[in-house]
């Protein structure tokens, strides 16, 4: 159960109210008065929520599904009694492996991948406001292998320039012995080194998901003179 921590500021509205207003304005007769009514409707359509009423969650704060009875704890494994298909068997479908849209080449020999850090979530809009978290990871870094550090002739903490076909970011290098050679990892929580400007927006033809996690990149030592000229 997620409980309200602070009063809404100004004219702000809760998400479910906004969604309902959108529905009403396109002609749908939605008239929920409380999240409990939305949850109860969901539970009536989702067998996984059997025996987990709103009142139970409100009373216990959390309940694990599936639950065999209203007074029984949830089971540790979701599909321990079979899958919701004829015969209870899961269906496995072979998938054809497709190469990434953009492969490393002579001009862009590295693979760039982006993601989160333990300390910062997504764009850092909340976590970078937390003094304790920002003290642990105060600035952007690019994780590269020991071999890459040696190849560039730099020391950990020196500035490097990461370039893709979409842009360039200058960022401090961090030696990370878990990184494969030829791969550079940049977290996307730092607007001052906006990794998402470098990523590839090519879409997966089936899921329509952008290929943000893999693209070709060039990694170079950022010379101090070049940085001063840029400034």
């Amino acid at each position: 159960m997620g409980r309200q921590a602070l009063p809404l500021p100004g004219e702000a509205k809760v998400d479910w109210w906004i969604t309902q207003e959108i529905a009403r304005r396109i002609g749908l007769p939605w008239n929920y008065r409380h999240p409990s009514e939305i949850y109860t409707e969901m539970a009536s359509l989702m067998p996984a929520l059997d025996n987990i009423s709103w009142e139970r969650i409100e009373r216990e704060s959390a309940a694990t599904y599936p639950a065999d009875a209203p007074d029984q704890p949830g089971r540790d494994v979701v599909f321990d009694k079979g899958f919701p298909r004829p015969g209870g068997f899961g269906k496995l479908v072979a998938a054809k492996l497709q190469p990434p849209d953009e492969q490393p080449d002579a001009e862009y020999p590295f693979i760039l991948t982006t993601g989160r850090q333990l300390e910062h979530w997504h764009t850092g809009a909340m976590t970078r406001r937390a003094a304790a978290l920002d003290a642990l990871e105060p600035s952007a870094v690019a994780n590269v292998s020991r071999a890459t550090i040696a190849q560039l002739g730099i020391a950990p903490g020196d500035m490097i320039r990461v370039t893709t076909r979409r842009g360039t970011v200058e960022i401090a290098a961090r030696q990370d012995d878990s990184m494969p050679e030829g791969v550079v990892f940049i977290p996307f929580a730092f607007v001052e080194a906006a990794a998402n400007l470098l990523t590839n927006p090519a879409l997966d033809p089936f899921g329509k998901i952008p290929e943000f996690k893999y693209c070709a990149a060039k990694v170079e030592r950022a010379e101090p003179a070049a940085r001063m000229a840029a400034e």
Side-chain angles (χ1 to χ4, degrees):
M1 177 71 73
R3 305 184 189 277
Q4 183 172 328
L6 298 171
L8 296 175
E11 298 182 10
K13 305 294 183 183
V14 293
D15 288 350
W16 69 265
W17 183 92
I18 295 171
T19 303
Q20 176 164 278
E21 285 301 304
I22 294 172
R24 284 176 169 176
R25 295 178 196 195
I26 62 174
L28 298 175
W30 289 17
N31 191 31
Y32 302 105
R33 293 165 296 179
H34 189 268
S36 61
E37 297 179 357
I38 302 170
Y39 177 84
T40 299
E41 181 178 310
M42 289 171 51
S44 72
L45 301 168
M46 298 170 62
L49 297 180
D50 287 351
N51 300 310
I52 304 177
S53 65
W54 176 271
E55 290 73 22
R56 176 177 178 177
I57 300 176
E58 200 169 42
R59 182 176 63 253
E60 300 178 11
S61 292
T64 301
Y65 74 91
D68 293 326
D71 58 349
Q72 294 293 317
R75 300 201 300 270
D76 292 334
V77 180
V78 177
F79 299 117
D80 61 340
K81 296 183 179 180
F83 294 89
R85 298 190 69 256
F89 294 102
K91 183 178 181 180
L92 303 179
V93 180
K96 183 179 179 181
L97 182 64
Q98 292 183 306
D101 175 72
E102 194 176 88
Q103 297 275 20
D105 56 23
E107 185 178 3
Y108 298 95
F110 279 77
I111 295 168
L112 169 66
T113 187
T114 64
R116 306 176 187 89
Q117 291 176 305
L118 175 64
E119 294 80 7
H120 293 304
W121 181 257
H122 285 323
T123 59
M126 292 189 291
T127 56
R128 293 196 71 196
R129 297 183 186 184
L133 297 177
D134 210 46
L136 291 171
E137 287 289 357
S139 58
V141 294
N143 291 39
V144 293
S145 70
R146 183 185 299 263
T148 298
I149 293 282
Q151 175 188 336
L152 297 177
I154 62 172
D158 286 351
M159 298 295 289
I160 59 174
R161 183 182 301 109
V162 181
T163 304
T164 71
R165 291 178 172 86
R166 289 152 295 277
T168 297
V169 162
E170 290 198 357
I171 189 170
R174 172 179 289 173
Q175 182 176 306
D176 183 345
D177 291 337
S178 68
M179 292 299 298
E181 189 172 345
V183 176
V184 54
F185 169 82
I186 301 180
F188 44 57
F190 299 87
V191 67
E192 61 271 31
N196 284 339
L197 297 178
L198 308 180
T199 54
N200 189 358
L203 294 180
D204 163 41
F206 299 101
K208 309 303 180 187
I209 301 168
E211 196 166 45
F212 290 152
K213 295 295 183 183
Y214 190 111
C215 69
K218 177 167 50 179
V219 180
E220 307 167 289
R221 177 176 184 162
E223 298 295 341
R227 292 206 305 274
M228 290 175 64
E231 292 171 359

